[in-house]
Amino acid sequence: MSGATLPGDPPGGRRAVWMWSIGVSVYFVAVIFRTSLGVAGLDAVERFHVGASALSTFSILQLLVYAGMQIPVGLLVDRLGTKKVLSLGAVLFTLGQLGFAFSPSYGMALASRALLGCGDALTFISVLRLGTRWFPARRGPLVAQLAGLVGMAGNLVSTLVIARLLHGIGWTAAFAGSALAGAVVLVLTLLFLKDHPEGHEPAPSPHQGAVYVRRQIAAAWREPGTRLGLWVHFTTQFPAMVFLLLWGLPFLVQAQGLSRATAGELLTLVVLSNMVIGLVYGQVVARHHAARLPLALGTVAATALMWAVTLAYPAEHAPMWLLVVLCAVLGACGPASMLGFDFARPANPPERQGTASGITNMGGFIASMTTLFAIGVLLDATGDDYTVAFSAVFVLQALGVSQILRLRGRAARRERERLVASRVETVHVPA
């Protein structure tokens, strides 16, 4: 990808970093709230007296709402701008976290997680859009990976802070106290965030109701790059998401015989690995755009291999070194999923970026939701046989890889055509 500045590119700079930092702080808090159940799964079983399938329903419902909201959120961001959508998201996920803290019953807790998922859904696409409005296009891959990095830092807070609060001050105080972070980022957003730099306002787009919505979605979906981005996100994200969001701690404690403290350290390793690999992937793709697909497929292959070796290990428990390697490899899933946006972004014009990103972002969460459900059902059906239950990972990976291979040629041709057109436009823009 050319490093030249394209016509109409925003300037970047310190003000861009400040604005992006405010937006990404909202996403940071949303991820803390989203992943807080991952360290509270066993506590939730005791609090609400539920089994594996019912426990998985918490995360499934949250992800169902999240995935179902992605296209509407993309349309909202394209129409209303980042500030309004992020503010609404902060209100909703804060109320959801508070509701979860005080829920006396399983049903009310489910409703709270759904509300949280709705607010969470409004954040990431908004942050991606904020990045494209404030930074030059050549910075897109790195800015997107940094957003994912901040999200994983939120996950790290869950594994290190929320887990300790749960066992120190209890369920209600831990979840209600963490909700204060939502109020803080809401105030920052309302007071300081700007959608775009002065002089870089998006072109006005007259709203045409349902016709506008259909055209936006259809135009984004017609682009092979959008569909390829969705399937890259689908195939790469879910193994780590499922592990961190719900099933990692039970797998490590119940199937591998580890203490909660040791299991928490391994979950932290996934997050730390994600942060390091995210920086590497962002730099590599910014310099070598053709590395996107090899990195994505390589991550899928490495993840499948490590799960196969871990689940097939002949002893009752896998050795610690193998679990460490598994968790380190799972850390690559998040950065690899961000590559999906690097296929969708150049395939769509600025006025369609939110919609295209929303379609792409659905992929991994649909896969995660499906796998969470499958693992819960298989655990109940097999008497907690984690080897059988986690084999569902391979089915979803095979489906995703088949679609990636089917779409890669068309997406590459279309992207080359757009790149040539943009260079021609650059040549004809007056100095």
Side-chain angles (χ1 to χ4, degrees):
M1 184 176 184
S2 173
T5 300
L6 299 176
D9 253 0
R14 292 181 181 177
R15 185 166 169 78
V17 172
W18 166 237
M19 291 300 159
W20 183 82
S21 298
I22 295 172
V24 84
S25 69
V26 181
Y27 175 57
F28 172 75
V29 174
V31 174
I32 294 175
F33 292 178
R34 178 203 303 169
T35 57
S36 57
L37 183 60
V39 295
L42 297 178
D43 299 88
V45 169
E46 296 175 3
R47 181 178 177 87
F48 301 113
H49 309 291
V50 295
S53 296
L55 177 62
S56 67
T57 303
F58 277 123
S59 296
I60 291 167
L61 178 61
Q62 185 179 332
L63 293 184
L64 177 63
V65 172
Y66 187 104
M69 286 285 292
Q70 288 310 292
I71 292 178
V73 168
L75 292 164
L76 281 174
V77 172
D78 286 339
R79 290 297 308 168
L80 302 179
T82 301
K83 181 172 184 173
K84 292 179 181 178
V85 178
L86 275 178
S87 299
L88 178 59
V91 170
L92 293 177
F93 65 60
T94 301
L95 290 176
Q97 188 78 339
L98 276 173
F100 198 59
F102 293 102
S103 293
S105 65
Y106 177 68
M108 187 173 290
L110 275 179
S112 298
R113 295 307 287 186
L115 185 62
L116 192 157
C118 186
D120 182 17
L122 298 171
T123 60
F124 186 64
I125 300 304
S126 299
V127 170
L128 288 181
R129 175 61 175 265
L130 196 67
T132 63
R133 287 299 186 193
W134 280 94
F135 292 97
R138 68 181 184 275
R139 301 295 185 193
L142 183 58
V143 170
Q145 288 289 352
L146 286 173
L149 183 76
V150 172
M152 290 311 296
N155 204 324
L156 190 62
V157 171
S158 289
T159 58
L160 293 179
V161 178
I162 301 294
R164 291 181 181 178
L165 287 175
L166 276 169
H167 299 113
I169 61 177
W171 179 284
T172 300
F175 282 105
S178 66
L180 292 174
V184 171
V185 295
L186 174 61
V187 171
L188 286 174
T189 302
L190 291 172
L191 292 180
F192 301 111
L193 187 65
K194 303 292 183 185
D195 284 342
H196 46 71
E198 293 182 9
H200 290 269
E201 295 82 359
S205 176
H207 199 295
Q208 299 173 0
V211 173
Y212 166 81
V213 170
R214 286 196 300 269
R215 286 178 179 173
Q216 282 285 93
I217 296 173
W221 184 256
R222 277 196 300 269
E223 292 293 343
T226 304
R227 284 174 281 147
L228 179 58
L230 179 147
W231 284 107
V232 167
H233 200 269
F234 177 100
T235 314
T236 53
Q237 187 204 46
F238 79 92
M241 175 69 73
V242 167
F243 197 78
L244 290 170
L245 197 61
L246 185 61
W247 290 122
L249 189 69
F251 169 76
L252 294 171
V253 172
Q254 295 177 349
Q256 299 302 321
L258 302 180
S259 67
R260 283 197 181 200
T262 304
E265 291 171 358
L266 286 174
L267 293 179
T268 303
L269 175 60
V270 177
V271 177
L272 294 175
S273 173
N274 183 299
M275 297 171 75
V276 172
I277 294 172
L279 287 174
V280 174
Y281 277 20
Q283 293 287 354
V284 169
V285 174
R287 290 174 169 78
H288 308 286
H289 214 50
R292 292 170 300 170
L293 201 57
L295 286 175
L297 292 175
T299 300
V300 175
T303 305
L305 175 63
M306 290 314 305
W307 266 121
V309 173
T310 302
L311 296 176
Y313 197 79
E316 181 181 0
H317 298 144
M320 179 56 70
W321 68 263
L322 182 55
L323 295 175
V324 168
V325 175
L326 170 67
C327 290
V329 170
L330 285 175
C333 292
S337 72
M338 299 300 297
L339 300 173
F341 299 101
D342 291 325
F343 289 102
R345 188 184 305 110
N348 292 274
E351 64 271 14
R352 213 166 57 220
Q353 287 293 322
T355 305
S357 295
I359 292 172
T360 299
N361 206 32
M362 286 176 63
F365 289 93
I366 291 173
S368 297
M369 181 175 57
T370 303
T371 310
L372 283 168
F373 176 74
I375 291 174
V377 170
L378 289 171
L379 284 173
D380 282 343
T382 60
D384 291 339
D385 188 330
Y386 280 88
T387 299
V388 173
F390 272 88
S391 295
V393 170
F394 305 122
V395 177
L396 274 292
Q397 286 183 320
L399 172 62
V401 168
S402 69
Q403 295 302 310
I404 291 171
L405 296 178
R406 182 177 68 86
L407 289 164
R408 61 177 179 171
R410 275 178 281 176
R413 287 192 297 272
R414 182 69 172 138
E415 189 169 312
R416 284 195 298 269
E417 292 169 2
R418 282 189 174 275
L419 184 58
V420 170
S422 68
R423 285 173 174 169
V424 170
E425 182 182 355
T426 303
V427 169
H428 288 89
V429 170

